C-alpha cells in the first residue's frame, strides 16, 4: 500500500527532525509530508533537511485546516493509506506496522493509549476529558471507544476522500469520529504506546480546555440529533 504520513506542525523545531528520523527507522518505505502551519521558528527548514515534503500554510489555520490540507494532498496524489502523527514526538513510529495491518480491515484505525494497559500517564484533568469524550462518543455512535482524542490514526482511501472533502476545524479528533460513523465507516482501535512531549509546549491552555469541552460536546450532540431526525420515518 502506498502510505503517506501526515504531520501537522506548529513551532516544532525542537522535535520535528527526531520524529521524521523515527519514522524513517521503523517505516522506511512510507512518504512523509509535514504541514507547516504558519510556524514562526525553523520547523520548515528542519523538516525539509530531514527529507520530508513540506506544505507551508501562509498563516496558522489550526489543526483542522492543517489535517484537511494533508488529506487533500493524500487524495490528490492517490495514496492508499494516510497516517496522522503528531510533531511533538508523542507517537511512536514502532507502532506504525500495527496500525497499517489493522487498516486493511477497517476504514480508520485509532492508536489508543487505553485499549490495553500501557505505561502512558496523563494529568488528572486531561484523563477526565479523555474519559468523558470516549464515553460520550461511545453512547452517540453505539460503538465503544477508549481514546477519542488520540491523534495517531491510519485512514484508508474511503476516509481520505471524506476528510479531504470535510474535516472539523477546532479540536477535531472527537468530531471526526462521529463524522465517519454517520457515513457508515468501520472504525477500530489498536494499542499504542505514547510518550510525553519531546520539546516545546502544548497550545491547549486551561481556558481553551473549557472551550474545547463545551464546543465539542455540543457538536457531537448536534450530530447525534441529525442522525435521529434522518432515521425517523413519516407516514402519509
Amino acid at each position: 500500500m502506498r502510505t503517506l504520513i501526515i504531520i501537522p506542525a506548529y513551532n516544532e523545531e525542537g522535535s520535528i527532525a527526531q520524529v521524521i528520523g523515527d519514522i524513517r527507522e521503523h517505516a522506511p518505505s512510507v512518504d512523509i509530508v509535514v504541514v507547516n502551519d504558519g510556524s514562526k521558528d525553523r520547523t520548515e527548514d528542519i523538516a525539509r533537511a530531514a527529507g520530508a515534503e513540506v506544505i507551508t500554510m501562509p498563516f496558522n489555520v489550526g489543526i483542522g485546516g492543517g489535517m484537511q490540507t494533508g488529506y487533500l494532498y493524500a487524495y490528490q496524489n492517490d495514496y492508499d493509506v494516510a497516517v496522522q502523527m503528531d510533531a511533538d514526538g508523542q507517537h511512536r513510529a514502532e507502532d506504525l506496522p500495527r496500525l497499517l495491518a489493522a487498516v486493511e480491515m477497517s476504514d480508520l484505525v485509532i492508536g489508543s493509549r487505553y485499549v490495553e494497559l500501557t505505561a502512558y500517564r496523563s494529568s488528572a484533568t486531561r484523563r477526565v476529558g479523555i474519559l468523558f469524550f470516549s464515553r460520550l462518543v461511545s453512547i452517540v455512535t453505539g460503538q465503544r471507544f477508549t481514546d477519542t482524542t488520540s491523534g495517531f490514526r491510519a485512514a484508508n482511501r474511503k476516509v481520505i476522500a471524506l476528510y479531504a472533502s470535510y474535516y472539523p476545524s477546532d479540536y477535531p479528533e472527537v468530531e471526526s469520529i462521529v463524522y465517519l460513523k454517520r457515513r457508515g465507516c468501520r472504525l477500530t482501535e489498536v494499542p499504542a504506546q505514547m510518550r510525553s512531549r519531546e520539546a516545546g509546549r502544548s497550545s491547549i491552555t486551561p481556558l481553551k480546555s473549557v472551550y474545547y469541552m463545551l464546543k465539542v460536546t455540543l457538536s457531537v450532540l448536534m450530530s447525534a440529533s441529525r442522525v435521529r431526525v434522518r432515521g425517523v420515518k413519516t407516514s402519509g
Side-chain angles (χ1 to χ4, degrees), residues 9-10 37-40 57-63:
Y10 178 64
D37 193 13
S39 297
K40 297 177 175 61
M57 311 302 286
F59 51 87
N60 182 259
V61 299
I63 183 64

Side-chain angles (χ1 to χ4, degrees), residues 135-165:
R135 290 179 180 175
L136 176 64
V137 173
S138 297
I139 292 169
V140 167
T141 64
Q143 177 179 342
R144 181 177 180 268
F145 291 97
T146 65
D147 198 358
T148 53
T149 64
S150 170
F152 191 20
R153 305 177 175 194
N156 69 4
R157 283 178 177 269
K158 178 179 180 179
V159 172
I160 289 171
L162 286 169
Y163 280 166
S165 173

Side-chain angles (χ1 to χ4, degrees), residues 117-135:
L117 183 64
T118 70
Y120 178 82
R121 295 293 179 269
S122 62
S123 67
T125 302
R126 180 163 292 189
R127 178 63 174 151
V128 168
I130 293 170
L131 285 171
F132 172 77
F133 284 123
S134 294
R135 290 179 180 175

